[in-house]
Amino acid sequence: MTTESYSSTNSVVSSRWLTPWPYQLLTWGALVYGVVLRLGYYSTNRSLWHDEAAVTLNILNRSYGELLQQLDYGQAAPPLFLWVQKAVTQILGPSEYALRLLPLTASLLSLGLFYQLLQRYASPLARPLAMALFATMGYVLYFAAEVKPYASDLAIALAIFLLLMPRCDRPFSRRQQVSFSLLGAAAIWLSYPSVFMLAATAVATAIYTPRSRRWPQFQNRLPVYGVWLVSFLGLYFGVIQNTLETGELEAVFESRFPSSVFDVWWLVDALGRFFYRPLGFLGIPEGFAAIACLTGGVWLYRYQRRTLILLLLPIGTTLLAGYLQQYPFRDRLILFLAPLGYLLIAEGIAWPLRQPRWWGPAWGWLLILILLVPVTWRTTTQAFQTDSTPLFHSFAIRPAVQHIHTHWQETDVVFVESRGRRPFQYYAQILGFQSDQQVLSDARLPAAENVNVDYFAELLQPFANAPRLWLFFVLQNESTPAPDELITVLNAHFQSEPLDVLKTSNTLTCLYQSASATP
């Protein structure tokens, strides 16, 4: 049996572990590469897609006070996030670069915070592995340039963990009481899931405070917890309750909640999906990531049990909220937990690499080849491209709206399919392209086999007398018809060729002259 050199009595892995310089160099290299990837992805300046544009329209068209009310277009975001975004657009303008500056800043800050987390809680060999995962995983990288609060959720969660978890068994000084009270209260209004991280730190305090000091410790923390609670209640009754009034979000989230507290299958499914999103593994790598995570958990249980518990507490509080049907344990909503998952996976890779027998390093290198190499290659080749191989949502909507605006005539009408209506609104607004003849439809293109002449005859009947009709479609997935197929059906409907066609990444813009306007 191999004897590990790390004492299980140490409460956390800290700088007492001397990091060999190759590991430290690799960790720094992965961090720098993460910065390069994020800056590169940000620089592509891809068009806003539906959800980004929907949030942005609220930011641009509402006052600070109105941003506390229920948002339009079925959106929800923390008030302080919206206020900061609005302030940035007022200073720098409403461009995509300005709108994505806060997520980019939060993502870059997260790299530094994750580095500090690794220095304190990860074994030396696991540090470069975990940093490489965090720096290159496409799902985390994507939200570095997305007008959504998920990148800031992640940064705030890491900051809370680093500030409060190491102090969970120590009393706060008077100065710390004030500062942590204010920071926690602000975090709640800036990041909804910060509540779960704050709750996890409170549970850690209850667990690791010696029994003889629990009552004095509780008295010491009570003012801090009180401020956090008041802040949360103010947010809930002042903002969140208004957001839930329409039932739109509840309808979306309903399928993501367990049917009851005894729904064990929901727990298994939720934890399994965690490796796909937010961690970013798909297919065969997803299974290997789960094995590595379990292995890392076993190693931490044997040699660093306290670290394991601290890492699992935020996951546990978020799962509890899911069981109580208050917060879905799904996808981007739990992106803030991704660093904890990467650390566990990295420990699961590092442990076999340290084994003296050949099978240990062989298994460790196999995990690296499966979990790290494909991801690094994919993000390296895709992060700097806007159209050909996008990471996730990459619709070239900006050039399409610019094209329509440039060639617009006074009597024109434009029909915008539902997937493109919010981005069209945003770009029309910032381009000064205003017209009463912009029809933003609720209709969504069906699957390719259901798109025919009869479908368009019914859909476009209200515009039969328009002299010139622009059609703008966002072709979001493989089920929608290909651009050339769609043009063929439209030509059959109008009984003519289009006057103008623009094909961009996942969009199609066509201009037709109505039969009544044909000489």
Side-chain angles (χ1 to χ4, degrees), residues 201-264:
T201 66
V203 175
T205 297
I207 293 173
Y208 287 109
T209 300
R211 183 174 300 179
S212 61
R213 292 198 290 112
R214 284 181 182 172
W215 176 243
Q217 182 80 313
F218 176 74
Q219 291 177 307
N220 176 263
R221 298 296 174 96
L222 186 60
V224 179
Y225 296 160
V227 172
W228 294 353
L229 180 60
V230 170
S231 177
F232 172 72
L233 292 176
L235 176 69
Y236 184 83
F237 290 107
V239 177
I240 296 177
Q241 199 170 57
N242 294 333
T243 302
L244 298 176
E245 276 183 358
T246 62
E248 283 186 61
L249 290 178
E250 289 182 325
V252 172
F253 293 156
E254 185 177 3
S255 62
R256 304 180 183 185
F257 291 134
S259 58
S260 71
V261 294
F262 303 105
D263 191 352
V264 178

Side-chain angles (χ1 to χ4, degrees), residues 95-116:
S95 69
E96 298 95 326
Y97 279 130
L99 288 161
R100 291 173 174 144
L101 185 59
L102 174 59
L104 173 68
T105 303
S107 186
L108 294 175
L109 178 62
S110 296
L111 287 168
L113 292 171
F114 189 58
Y115 174 82
Q116 294 299 323

Side-chain angles (χ1 to χ4, degrees), residues 20 66 139 165 183 224 292 325 354 397 519:
E66 289 170 339
Y139 203 63
M165 282 302 192
L183 287 172
V224 179
Q325 301 193 358
R354 289 193 294 263
I397 296 174

Side-chain angles (χ1 to χ4, degrees), residues 77-155:
L80 278 184
F81 171 82
L82 297 172
W83 285 359
V84 173
Q85 288 286 73
K86 186 168 186 67
V88 170
T89 59
Q90 289 176 331
I91 296 170
L92 301 178
S95 69
E96 298 95 326
Y97 279 130
L99 288 161
R100 291 173 174 144
L101 185 59
L102 174 59
L104 173 68
T105 303
S107 186
L108 294 175
L109 178 62
S110 296
L111 287 168
L113 292 171
F114 189 58
Y115 174 82
Q116 294 299 323
L117 183 79
L118 296 178
Q119 292 299 105
R120 186 172 186 91
Y121 292 99
S123 63
L125 181 54
R127 293 170 192 172
L129 298 170
M131 182 57 75
L133 287 169
F134 185 69
T136 61
M137 291 305 293
Y139 203 63
V140 176
L141 173 61
Y142 171 76
F143 288 105
E146 169 93 343
V147 190
K148 283 287 194 172
Y150 306 118
S152 51
D153 288 345
L154 196 157

Side-chain angles (χ1 to χ4, degrees), residues 21 33 87 90 109 178 189 210 245 284 377 385 394 430 467:
W21 69 265
Y33 191 57
Q90 289 176 331
L109 178 62
V178 174
W189 286 72
E245 276 183 358
I284 293 175
W377 172 256
Q385 301 181 32
S394 183
I430 66 172

